[in-house]
Amino acid sequence: MDTVALTFDDGPYPETTPALLAALAGTRATFFLWGEHAAAHPDLVRAIAAAGHAIGNHTWTHPRLTTLPAADREREIRRTQDLLTRLTGVRPALFRPPYGDTDASVSATVAAHELSEVLWSVDTRDWAGCSADEITAAAGDAQPGGVVLMHEGRPATVEAVPRILAALTARGLRPGPVAASGGS
């Protein structure tokens, strides 16, 4: 069965992460965690890991990395790597640049941390305030091997997840995490 990677950025959020984990109903996904949020909610980071989800680095403060000096870019990634490793016992292997904002210098910093940069093939636009119906429809465009971008902290996303899982399964696709080798 062909896989479609489900990814969730920006968490964890105490208001929505527990409901999102419940909505996934055992389906594994990849969570790209925002360092500041992870530091504020370490128990949620541990809950995501305990549920078997892959955890990726999404920087400490969610900046546009291409606008930062090299030292600041390095600090954003390293600080989040160190925290997530400390909280879960597993060093993240995946990285998603905030806003998908990347270039050769960002990629070099990411590679220096032995991270694979992951973008997406389907943007559900949940970040723009789309409804659960719109998020579900957008995710329905995913093709085998695709990567679906969603965000924690969005109640409409939590509402859409069970429908997305059902729709992908009905098409013969298996929702899951990003492969360890990354992808875009």
Side-chain angles (χ1 to χ4, degrees):
M1 187 181 282
D2 291 313
T3 300
V4 171
L6 301 182
T7 66
F8 299 92
D9 288 10
D10 297 353
Y13 288 95
E15 305 82 9
T16 55
T17 300
L20 178 56
L21 292 174
L24 284 164
T27 298
R28 293 179 56 232
T30 301
F31 287 74
F32 289 98
L33 300 182
W34 182 329
E36 290 175 322
H37 293 182
H41 307 291
D43 289 344
L44 289 176
V45 175
R46 290 185 193 101
I48 293 166
H53 299 289
I55 292 179
N57 183 327
H58 197 48
T59 72
W60 190 262
T61 65
H62 204 272
R64 289 196 173 275
L65 290 173
T66 59
T67 68
L68 297 182
D72 292 346
R73 201 170 41 244
E74 159 66 25
R75 189 175 314 107
E76 284 281 338
I77 294 170
R78 179 182 31 81
R79 190 172 179 195
T80 305
Q81 278 294 91
D82 291 347
L83 174 69
L84 295 176
T85 301
R86 197 165 51 252
L87 291 177
T88 67
V90 177
R91 193 151 191 85
L94 303 174
F95 175 79
R96 175 168 285 155
Y99 315 102
D101 188 33
T102 189
D103 61 14
S105 61
V106 171
S107 294
T109 304
V110 169
H113 284 277
E114 298 178 346
L115 289 161
S116 293
E117 195 171 69
V118 178
L119 296 176
W120 54 86
S121 57
V122 174
D123 181 353
T124 63
R125 296 187 47 82
D126 60 347
W127 52 268
C130 288
S131 70
D133 288 342
E134 292 167 319
I135 295 165
T136 302
D141 290 338
Q143 297 301 310
V147 178
V148 179
L149 171 66
M150 293 177 277
H151 293 77
E152 289 190 63
R154 303 288 176 166
T157 300
V158 174
E159 182 184 336
V161 164
R163 291 189 268 167
I164 292 168
L165 296 175
L168 291 173
T169 302
R171 289 178 50 209
L173 298 171
R174 184 172 53 84
V178 172
S181 61
S184 58

